């Protein structure tokens, strides 16, 4: 079989390798602010849990679907919490990070309660608390971006 | 490139190996697939003319990666004279059950597929 | 001889590199049933690249799509057919006789 | 009468079959972050897949050779092997995502954690491919997939501000604080989701198996030009629902539950169950198609007998590959990896692998040796060349964008 790679074919490989390298290097500069992204995810998760509770309470989502949605939100919040804790920030962002850790801890607790007793009478109360958490997290997200 | 003269020997159908022959699917008498045509084996006739004597079966998947050849004895081949047509695929006048190059397929059939219940059923 | 051994091989004439073996041209004496008659080796097609040569655009009348065809034809602009009798030696390097002729690579339609 | 039924069935299965986990997730994610400002990408993708599927159906109908048989022949074994590896890796990744998608849909119906369903789904998938009569299989999944129309009904039910949606479609750059790079990344991901290569492997292999001839070409044209665009409409409806419900609530979609939630909001529990069954059917149908496509790719490349209509004993290696890829996918998904993450990677790598199969098919669709006098007309070629450029740009941009935006974070 004719398997030897003639010299003329090797040139394109070198070009591709160089291009990929250049892109990777450029990658570090433009990425979005990690603190802002983490807080955005957390805020999204909190309002997602609130939506699930509300729609289930209104009888528009089955228990299975609502429970899944709350469970997904809990996973996303847990991940955001871990990322937030591990994040090294500087300047005013550190203050934002500290506040965010408290709000996040509170919203994890709320989501935990939500998934524990989905149909409970406290549902309305939990929805408002989760919506408040989401707003706080969104405010902190904006603060983090401004403080960059 | 196009201003070069036409080669005189043209009584017959002109066929380029890479373009019309190599890596084409070889079919048996009933158009059932055998294997891909991987290479060609040439021999010199008494007057010294090179001509194709055998098609070597095998695709890139099972080919040797480092240019080495399998010893001639174990090479899966089909004789040139059983070829009936060269189209999008290479048609031949042989029954695939007689082609011993398909021993790997038979191994999979006899040692794996037939062992699983339902292996012979006709899905229709 | 295994055809695969000479495909992609460098081609030289008097020590000077001419190109690489891109393909091999055969003539089927019996067009209706190829197997019934010998398929004689007419010669070797020599070009500069083996990479994209397989697409065979440059050697057949497939004219479309135009843009693609022009680029592929460009890559093979100096491809030619050399008669097997003009080949002095077939091996790691394909050596041509000094006075070898260049024939058109185009396939008649 | 039977002819019309055949045509209708073809179109319906094309619609149901068009949407898979990649379309569901990517459209919802994009809808929840960019509204409908990326809808044009779905239109571009649908035209592309229609063109690509038609060309490969035509080549197969006229030459009797399916996609990977042609690719091996046209590019020679060495380049074709690299091509096979790339396309196979992408199809295998999609198979994993589809199996995960089925498990997620079952979680939405039953509330049980998806990883529990991975093994039973994989075993059932293999059993279906081993035993079930294929024509039933293909039509049931395709028809049930039509239940996804619930997204369209939900969008109307939500009574959105059509003016606002219209403005989102028209406006090119995002207003929601997303930067241009993320926008570009999701454009490529959406394009990869709409123009999935495995659908073409499946489509062209089906043409070969059903022994299509030039007389069937009009059927292929109808299937493709009606079925796929309507499938594209479903995709846009998925994005629309997310844009109307999730975007204002500040929820960035990252799970299947959030993809279907808007239908619950709009149509209540009945609508929700219908759409989840639709998702189950679409992902199951896609799992069957991707598993088969892995088998087709390897068997056609190697020249082995292949096909869903042959007895397993007549195509032993083909069925061995099916078993192998299902086992591999099952093991990977059992690791508990999030199917949505696998899906996002699969659509991006779809975009990367697309030129590998698009380019040879374009070349062969112009080669009289394969298609006789049915070579591409000038308009078709002009369009096909434009898409060659689009496909190459998307493929080259996909990985760098993925790195730059950390998967669109």
């Amino acid at each position: 079989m004719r398997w030897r790679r003639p010299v003329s074919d090797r040139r394109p490989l070198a070009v591709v390798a160089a291009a990929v390298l250049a892109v990777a290097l450029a990658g570090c500069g433009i990425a979005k602010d990690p603190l802002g992204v983490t807080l955005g995810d957390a805020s999204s998760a909190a309002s997602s849990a609130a939506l699930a509770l509300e729609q289930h309470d209104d009888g528009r989502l089955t228990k299975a679907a609502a429970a899944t949605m709350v469970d997904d939100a809990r996973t996303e919040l847990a991940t955001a919490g871990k990322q937030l804790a591990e994040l090294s920030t500087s300047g005013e962002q550190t203050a934002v990070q500290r506040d965010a850790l408290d709000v996040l801890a509170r919203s994890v607790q709320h989501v935990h309660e939500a998934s524990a007793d989905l149909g409970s009478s406290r549902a309305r109360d939990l929805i408002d608390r989760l919506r408040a958490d989401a707003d706080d997290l969104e405010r902190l997200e904006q603060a983090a971006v401004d403080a960059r | 490139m196009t201003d070069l003269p036409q080669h005189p020997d043209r009584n017959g159908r002109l066929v380029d190996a890479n373009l019309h022959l190599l890596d084409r699917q070889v079919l048996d008498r009933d158009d059932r697939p055998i294997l891909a045509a991987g290479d060609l084996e040439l021999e010199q006739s008494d007057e010294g003319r090179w001509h194709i004597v055998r098609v070597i079966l095998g695709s890139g998947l099972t080919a040797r990666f480092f240019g080495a050849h399998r010893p001639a004895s174990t090479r899966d081949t089909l004789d040139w004279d059983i070829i009936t047509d060269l189209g999008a695929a290479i048609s031949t006048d042989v029954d695939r059950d007689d082609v011993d190059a398909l021993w790997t397929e038979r191994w999979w059939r006899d040692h794996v597929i037939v062992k699983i219940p339902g292996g012979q059923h006709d899905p229709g | 001889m295994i055809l695969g051994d000479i495909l992609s091989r460098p081609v030289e004439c008097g020590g000077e590199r001419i190109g690489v073996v891109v393909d091999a041209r055969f003539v089927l004496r019996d067009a209706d049933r190829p197997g019934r008659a010998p398929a004689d080796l007419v010669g070797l097609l020599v070009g500069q690249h083996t990479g994209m040569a397989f697409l065979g655009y440059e050697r057949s009348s497939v004219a479309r799509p135009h843009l693609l065809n022009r680029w592929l034809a460009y890559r093979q602009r100096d491809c030619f057919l050399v008669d097997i009798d003009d080949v002095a030696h077939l091996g790691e390097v394909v050596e041509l006789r000094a006075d070898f002729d260049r024939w058109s690579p185009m396939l008649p339609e | 009468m039977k002819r019309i039924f055949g045509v209708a069935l073809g179109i319906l299965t094309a619609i149901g079959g068009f949407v898979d986990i990649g379309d569901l997730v990517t459209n919802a994610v994009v809808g929840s972050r960019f509204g409908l400002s990326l809808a044009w990408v779905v239109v571009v993708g649908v035209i592309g897949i229609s063109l690509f599927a038609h060309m490969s159906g035509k080549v197969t109908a006229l030459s009797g050779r399916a996609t990977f048989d042609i690719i091996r022949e046209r590019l020679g074994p060495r380049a074709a092997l690299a091509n096979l590896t790339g396309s196979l890796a992408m199809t295998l990744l999609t198979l994993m995502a589809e199996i995960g998608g089925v498990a997620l849909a079952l979680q939405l119906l039953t509330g049980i954690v998806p990883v529990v369903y991975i093994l039973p789904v994989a075993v059932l998938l293999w059993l279906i491919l081993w035993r079930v009569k294929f024509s039933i299989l293909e039509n049931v999944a395709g028809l049930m997939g039509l239940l996804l129309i619930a997204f369209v009904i939900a969008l109307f039910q939500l009574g959105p501000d059509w003016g606002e949606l219209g403005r989102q479609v028209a406006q090119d750059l995002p207003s929601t604080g997303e930067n241009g790079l993320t926008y570009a990344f999701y454009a490529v991901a959406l394009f990869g989701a709409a123009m999935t290569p495995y659908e073409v492997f499946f489509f062209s292999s089906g043409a070969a198996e059903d022994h299509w001839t030039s007389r069937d070409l009009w059927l292929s044209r109808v299937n493709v030009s009606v079925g796929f665009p309507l499938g594209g409409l479903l995709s846009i409806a998925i994005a629309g629902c997310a844009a109307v419900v999730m975007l204002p609530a500040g929820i960035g979609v990252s799970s299947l539950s959030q993809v279907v939630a808007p239908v619950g909001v709009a149509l209540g529990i009945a609508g929700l169950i219908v759409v989840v069954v639709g998702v189950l059917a679409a992902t199951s149908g896609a799992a069957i198609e991707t598993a088969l496509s892995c088998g087709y790719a390897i068997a056609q490349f190697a020249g082995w007998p292949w096909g869903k209509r042959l007895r397993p004993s007549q195509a032993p290696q083909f069925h061995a590959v099916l078993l192998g890829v299902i086992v591999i996918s099952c093991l990977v998904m059992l690791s508990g990896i999030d199917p949505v993450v696998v899906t996002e990677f699969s659509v991006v790598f779809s975009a990367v692998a697309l030129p590998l199969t698009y380019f040879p098919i374009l070349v062969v669709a112009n080669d009289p040796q394969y298609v006789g006098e049915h070579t591409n007309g000038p308009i078709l070629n002009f369009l096909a060349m434009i898409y060659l450029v689009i496909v190459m740009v998307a493929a080259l941009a996909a990985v760098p964008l993925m790195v730059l935006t950390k998967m669109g974070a």
Side-chain angles (χ1 to χ4, degrees), chain D residues 82-108:
Chain D
N83 189 318
L84 171 72
T85 316
S87 306
L88 192 63
M90 183 277 307
T91 310
L92 188 57
L93 201 58
T94 311
L95 172 59
M96 294 173 192
E98 302 299 344
I99 291 177
V102 173
L104 287 178
L106 289 171
Q107 177 189 21
L108 282 171

Side-chain angles (χ1 to χ4, degrees), chain D residues 168-185:
Chain D
Q168 278 177 9
V169 174
Q171 136 235 346
D172 42 22
L173 264 180
S175 59
T176 56
E178 301 283 356
N179 62 37
L181 273 181
T182 319
Y183 181 88
F185 169 74

